[in-house]
Amino acid sequence: MRHDFAGHGASRGLALGRARVRLPHALEMAEQRVPAAQADAEARRLHEALEAARAEMRALREKLQGALSKEAVEFIDLHALLLDDPELVQALETLVRQERYSAGYALRVQRDRLAAVFEQMDDPYLRSRLDDLDHIIGRINAHLQRREPLPRGTAGEVLVCDNVAPSELAQLQAQGVVAIVSAAGSPLSHSAILARSLHLPLVVGAAEALARINDGDVVMVDGETGEVVVDPDAADLHRYQQREQQDARARRDLERLRSKPTRTRDGVDVALYANAESREDVARAHALGAAGVGLYRTEFLFLQRNELPDEDEQFQVYRDAVLGMSGRPVTFRTLDLGADKADRTGLSLANEDNPALGVRGVRLSLLYDQVFDTQLRAIARAAAYGPVRVLVPMVSCREEVLLVRRRLRRAVAAVKRRGVVVQTPPLGAMIEVPAAAIGVHGLVDAVDFMSIGTNDLVQYLLAVDRNNDALGDLYSPLHPGVLRLLAHVIGAGAQSGTPVAVCGEMAGDTRLAPLLLAMGLREFSLHPASLLELRRAIRECRLDSLRERGGKLLQARDRSAIERWLQEAVSR
């Protein structure tokens, strides 16, 4: 019998399929001990399962390289680290060899011990890491039981689960999953962002899903409104067919925009740049008519190995990106890593209690002179093949920019001595630290351009982890304080003649295009998957009307007033 309920739309799209229900992870393993003579064999079985899980994560990381954005790889790497955590591995070894527990029961015991520690933590972010622990335990147990950790199904399935990890999204899509409904989760989580990049419909926060959907039920999912319909009736199916036809027409209309200018209705041109991390991303950006690459994430080259890439290897990757854009500029962001990941590149940093506020971004680059100089020389060599810009992450003060500029000039001079004809590339700063945004007037004359990283800026400004479900709607780019700070940076750029782009998640959200245009933004940098949709949204805007209403936007006192402003902007 038909019934429906609602969650929160997190990734747009309408899907129809049979439900595959994945119940919350639980290790229902009865106490089991093995004879002393079998302890070694049981320990070997445990280590084989651990190594199989590690190999699985390595293979997944290689497979997803370039297919997903930065956040997916971060989660894969976090899970790989957990697999090597002595608190887990050594304790399991002890439970098997000394307590003579079976491998499966040892896994359950140690999971429960660690879970108790997580649950007692005051920090909600650290408590939320229990999900990562359970994900890894599930992988190990799957190999112990000789079954696939992600059950395979047939095409056209809707996954119904308690939560979904970013690292498994592409796998699920490859298995034929057409949509996901999760009981927990946030529209602003890493998983939601990645689902949007993959165009995979996602509904989160559907608390009733596991109780009201059974395996094999036919389910219709609307990833925009959050509506979930179980056993849809004839009217629902007709609505689905109409939406399918509308979406097909919309896709055809979008394709026609590949060669169209990004120009408002009153004739103002806006530059759309692409975020990229691979040769495939660059090719796609070029094909879609991007003005250039506004953010090339160089850290992916470093995270693919356990040793540092040399200058020639970096140069070849950067050169290929420049050639791929055929004369359009490529902006290389210098190494954006922290202590939580640097050790996997051959760098060694002390553990930090709070890596998000530690040695990362430009701070790490300035600490490791040889690594930074090698990267800058490789970028300078690539500049001989086309226009290149250098973007520095995690800038907090003017002094850091001046240090980097001196190092960049020195790198260019070293390349020139080899006979390469090249000019010093323009240097820009990522504005993602609140101090840099507030003190932007002290930066504008030290840089050639600026790029606002809204993902981190919003997190730091609001003191909210966007992936922490417990904090709900507190993470919002529509907070009045966020908008006023963005307007402050954009205005400072306009006043000084310094180009400003937005390269975070806000740039790819078509609903926010009127808002950013009203504040004076004329450059966006976003995932190629969203480029045509943003071009269409901008072509529907009248800039003169948005400018008239811009003052009212910055006078808003709460999020609801800003949302009303956006609704009025769309209706005009």
Side-chain angles (χ1 to χ4, degrees):
M1 180 179 295
R2 180 196 188 279
H3 57 278
D4 64 349
F5 54 92
H8 302 290
S11 178
R12 287 184 297 168
L14 196 66
L16 182 69
R18 285 197 174 275
R20 184 210 303 183
V21 178
R22 186 175 73 184
L23 295 175
H25 174 79
L27 279 178
E28 299 298 337
M29 185 71 66
E31 181 174 348
Q32 184 179 2
R33 297 178 185 266
V34 297
Q38 294 182 17
D40 286 344
E42 195 69 5
R44 281 195 302 273
R45 194 166 77 90
L46 176 64
H47 283 289
E48 287 171 0
L50 283 162
E51 184 51 42
R54 293 186 188 107
E56 185 176 59
M57 298 306 293
R58 288 194 296 269
L60 178 58
R61 194 183 197 290
E62 292 173 5
K63 179 180 178 182
L64 300 185
Q65 188 67 36
L68 297 179
S69 64
K70 173 183 174 183
E71 290 83 358
V73 177
E74 288 181 348
F75 271 74
I76 294 169
D77 291 340
L78 173 60
H79 292 172
L81 285 175
L82 285 172
L83 280 166
D84 291 322
D85 190 341
E87 286 290 327
L88 178 64
V89 179
Q90 293 175 11
L92 289 172
E93 175 90 11
T94 299
L95 288 170
V96 171
R97 292 190 180 278
Q98 296 183 15
E99 301 295 331
R100 295 178 188 166
Y101 287 159
S102 68
Y105 185 62
L107 200 60
R108 174 186 169 181
V109 169
Q110 186 58 18
R111 182 269 170 201
D112 290 346
R113 287 177 178 174
L114 293 175
V117 174
F118 277 106
E119 288 167 352
Q120 291 173 6
M121 292 177 176
D122 293 330
D123 188 328
Y125 173 79
L126 294 176
R127 284 202 306 272
S128 71
R129 296 280 67 84
L130 179 57
D131 289 339
D132 296 302
L133 173 66
D134 279 342
H135 189 83
I136 284 303
I137 293 293
R139 285 186 180 272
I140 301 169
N141 190 49
H143 288 289
L144 279 175
Q145 305 302 322
R146 294 294 190 271
R147 57 180 170 81
E148 291 289 331
L150 291 174
R152 295 187 179 274
T154 57
E157 288 188 320
V158 174
L159 177 66
V160 182
C161 56
D162 60 330
N163 214 335
V164 62
S167 58
E168 59 182 327
L169 285 173
Q171 262 185 308
L172 290 166
Q173 192 176 52
Q175 291 173 13
V177 169
V178 296
I180 298 173
V181 178
S182 71
S186 162
L188 295 165
S189 67
H190 292 85
S191 293
I193 291 170
L194 292 167
R196 291 193 286 273
S197 296
L198 291 167
H199 297 288
L200 182 63
L202 171 65
V203 172
V204 299
E208 304 171 70
L210 291 170
R212 301 185 63 179
I213 302 177
N214 299 310
D215 241 357
D217 284 349
V218 175
V219 181
M220 190 172 81
V221 178
D222 190 332
E224 183 170 8
T225 65
E227 181 184 20
V228 179
V229 180
V230 183
D231 290 332
D233 58 22
D236 294 317
L237 294 175
H238 180 63
R239 177 160 54 97
Y240 174 78
Q241 291 166 357
Q242 287 185 317
R243 276 282 298 277
E244 281 280 275
Q245 293 169 1
Q246 291 171 1
D247 289 348
R249 285 195 297 270
R251 286 192 294 270
R252 289 194 296 270
D253 291 342
L254 277 179
E255 285 300 310
R256 296 190 185 103
L257 293 179
R258 280 176 176 258
S259 58
K260 299 292 185 181
T262 307
R263 183 174 297 147
T264 64
R265 288 168 59 190
D266 48 342
V268 178
D269 286 321
V270 177
L272 297 190
Y273 294 88
N275 296 340
E277 60 201 39
S278 68
R279 185 183 298 178
E280 293 76 18
D281 286 344
V282 171
R284 192 174 183 190
H286 184 277
L288 293 172
V293 172
L295 172 64
Y296 191 99
R297 298 183 177 98
T298 63
E299 57 270 12
F300 281 94
L301 180 60
F302 288 75
L303 288 169
Q304 291 176 355
R305 70 214 43 250
N306 292 321
E307 68 280 344
L308 294 168
D310 62 24
E311 182 183 321
D312 284 339
E313 186 174 0
Q314 291 186 61
F315 158 67
Q316 290 168 12
V317 171
Y318 303 156
R319 177 202 60 197
D320 289 350
V322 174
L323 291 173
M325 287 309 293
S326 303
R328 302 173 209 172
V330 177
T331 305
F332 293 105
R333 183 176 66 185
T334 57
L335 188 58
D336 190 16
L337 292 177
D340 49 343
K341 299 180 188 66
D343 59 342
R344 295 195 300 284
T345 67
L347 297 173
S348 179
L349 288 176
N351 290 333
E352 296 176 327
D353 291 336
N354 194 341
L357 302 180
V359 179
R360 63 187 308 110
V362 66
R363 303 169 186 178
L364 185 144
S365 292
L366 292 174
L367 185 65
Y368 284 86
D369 292 359
Q370 291 185 347
V371 174
F372 194 32
D373 289 342
T374 297
Q375 181 173 39
L376 292 178
R377 287 195 301 271
I379 294 173
R381 289 169 62 186
Y385 293 82
V388 160
R389 304 193 304 177
V390 177
L391 181 60
V392 184
M394 199 69 179
V395 168
S396 59
C397 62
R398 176 186 177 88
E399 289 79 5
E400 290 169 333
V401 175
L402 296 178
L403 283 171
V404 172
R405 189 174 287 282
R406 284 199 291 270
R407 301 284 285 279
L408 180 59
R409 286 172 176 161
R410 190 168 67 189
V412 169
V415 170
K416 284 182 175 179
R417 285 195 294 271
R418 302 178 192 175
V420 179
V421 179
V422 63
Q423 300 299 316
T424 301
L427 178 66
M430 284 276 289
I431 306 299
E432 52 193 337
V433 175
I438 295 168
V440 68
H441 288 289
L443 288 174
V444 288
D445 66 334
V447 297
D448 302 303
F449 66 97
M450 297 184 292
S451 192
I452 305 174
T454 53
N455 295 0
D456 279 337
L457 181 61
V458 175
Q459 288 193 110
Y460 288 135
L461 189 63
L462 301 182
V464 174
D465 173 16
R466 64 192 167 114
N467 204 45
N468 189 337
D469 295 343
L471 298 179
D473 292 334
L474 285 180
Y475 177 96
S476 173
L478 298 184
H479 188 289
V482 171
L483 297 194
R484 288 169 192 160
L485 193 56
L486 289 177
H488 174 66
V489 175
I490 295 169
Q495 185 178 359
S496 65
T498 306
V500 178
V502 166
C503 64
E505 186 72 9
M506 285 184 73
D509 191 335
T510 56
R511 299 170 305 148
L512 303 184
L515 178 152
L516 292 171
L517 291 172
M519 289 194 291
L521 187 71
R522 299 295 178 266
E523 295 184 10
F524 296 69
S525 189
L526 62 154
H527 192 284
S530 302
L531 197 143
L532 293 182
E533 291 182 357
L534 182 61
R535 179 172 293 157
R536 178 177 61 187
I538 290 173
R539 287 169 61 90
E540 292 172 354
C541 290
R542 286 196 63 89
L543 197 57
D544 51 6
S545 173
L546 293 174
R547 282 174 176 157
E548 288 176 8
R549 302 179 60 246
K552 183 178 179 182
L553 171 66
L554 297 179
Q555 292 170 5
R557 301 172 65 180
D558 54 34
R559 177 176 171 178
S560 61
I562 295 168
E563 289 174 340
R564 285 195 300 273
W565 187 97
L566 279 170
Q567 290 173 355
E568 293 172 5
V570 171
S571 63
R572 292 197 171 202

